[in-house]
Amino acid sequence: MSYISFYDDGELRAYLFEKGLNLLQASLFMLLQSIDKYAEQNGNYSGVKTSNTKIGKELGITQRAVTNNLSKLQELGLIKITFDRSIPSNTKRTIKPVKLVKYTLESQISGLIGYINTFLNSIPENWDELDKDDPEIKEQVKNAISYFGSDKDVINYINANRDELANYDDFINWLSHFSTP
């Protein structure tokens, strides 16, 4: 996965609130993400290895609050917690925050055109594919994304309607419905 851009702090906080997190949970996630980013910049890609005590001191909360809020973040799929029990007397916990990214509309359009071309190339009788540099095609794909709400929803539609979109001409006809007058 190539990252287009990370959410800035304001966008990230708003996104986390939309997911139902409270201020403390959002702050905990953002702290874990910052620590993980720093570790990755220094060559450690395994995740955050710190105690609840240290996290609690940083956020001004109890160890129990840290435990409860880590559980909530894990339940929401925002972090993955693993335990290394290779030494029975010394279990080590690693917390890996999920990378939250946003993609530009341009990258979504390019990705969707690539997906459609891969789909078209999988059809034995088909010889044509969409021109990724054609402004009209790009505009139609952009309008399809807008109509469906996301590039993922367009892909889901394509997958659910494979019989109707069986060749290049069917795709061109379907995309023409998303042309601006």
Side-chain angles (χ1 to χ4, degrees):
M1 174 186 301
S2 69
Y3 300 121
I4 304 306
S5 61
F6 284 93
Y7 284 95
D8 68 26
D9 283 349
E11 287 176 308
L12 175 58
R13 193 173 296 110
Y15 172 80
L16 294 172
F17 290 155
E18 286 173 14
K19 299 256 310 170
L21 274 66
N22 62 34
L23 180 60
L24 181 56
Q25 293 160 345
S27 298
L28 175 58
F29 178 78
M30 293 173 73
L31 173 65
L32 293 171
Q33 190 179 51
S34 294
I35 295 169
D36 188 55
K37 184 177 180 181
Y38 176 80
E40 286 182 354
Q41 289 171 345
N42 291 288
N44 179 358
Y45 295 91
S46 62
V48 177
K49 299 174 185 173
T50 189
S51 68
N52 286 3
T53 303
K54 286 182 182 178
I55 293 171
K57 283 182 182 177
E58 185 68 31
L59 295 175
I61 60 175
T62 65
Q63 290 181 41
R64 186 75 183 138
V66 173
T67 301
N68 290 340
N69 288 299
L70 285 174
S71 294
K72 178 67 174 179
L73 293 177
Q74 187 174 27
E75 180 182 306
L76 292 171
L78 293 171
I79 62 171
K80 183 177 181 185
I81 299 175
T82 56
F83 296 93
D84 178 3
R85 294 184 170 97
S86 58
I87 303 171
S89 62
N90 188 15
T91 299
K92 295 180 182 180
R93 175 188 69 187
T94 304
I95 306 167
K96 187 68 176 170
V98 172
K99 297 278 189 233
L100 297 177
V101 296
K102 67 176 183 178
Y103 294 98
T104 63
L105 182 57
E106 189 64 33
S107 70
Q108 290 179 45
I109 292 167
S110 295
L112 191 51
I113 290 172
Y115 180 84
I116 292 169
N117 285 338
T118 300
F119 180 84
L120 289 171
N121 288 330
S122 71
I123 302 169
E125 302 83 34
N126 185 64
W127 294 95
D128 295 318
E129 57 182 39
L130 300 180
D131 180 1
K132 65 180 173 134
D133 297 320
D134 182 339
E136 185 177 338
I137 294 290
K138 290 171 96 171
E139 184 65 23
Q140 290 172 342
V141 170
K142 175 181 144 190
N143 292 340
I145 292 170
S146 177
Y147 176 81
F148 283 94
S150 75
D151 55 339
K152 289 179 185 176
D153 290 336
V154 177
I155 290 170
N156 289 340
Y157 178 86
I158 291 168
N159 289 334
N161 295 283
R162 288 179 170 269
D163 294 339
E164 295 172 24
L165 302 169
N167 61 44
Y168 174 81
D169 292 330
D170 293 338
F171 264 100
I172 293 297
N173 185 38
W174 178 69
L175 284 172
S176 70
H177 296 310
F178 302 106
S179 295
T180 50

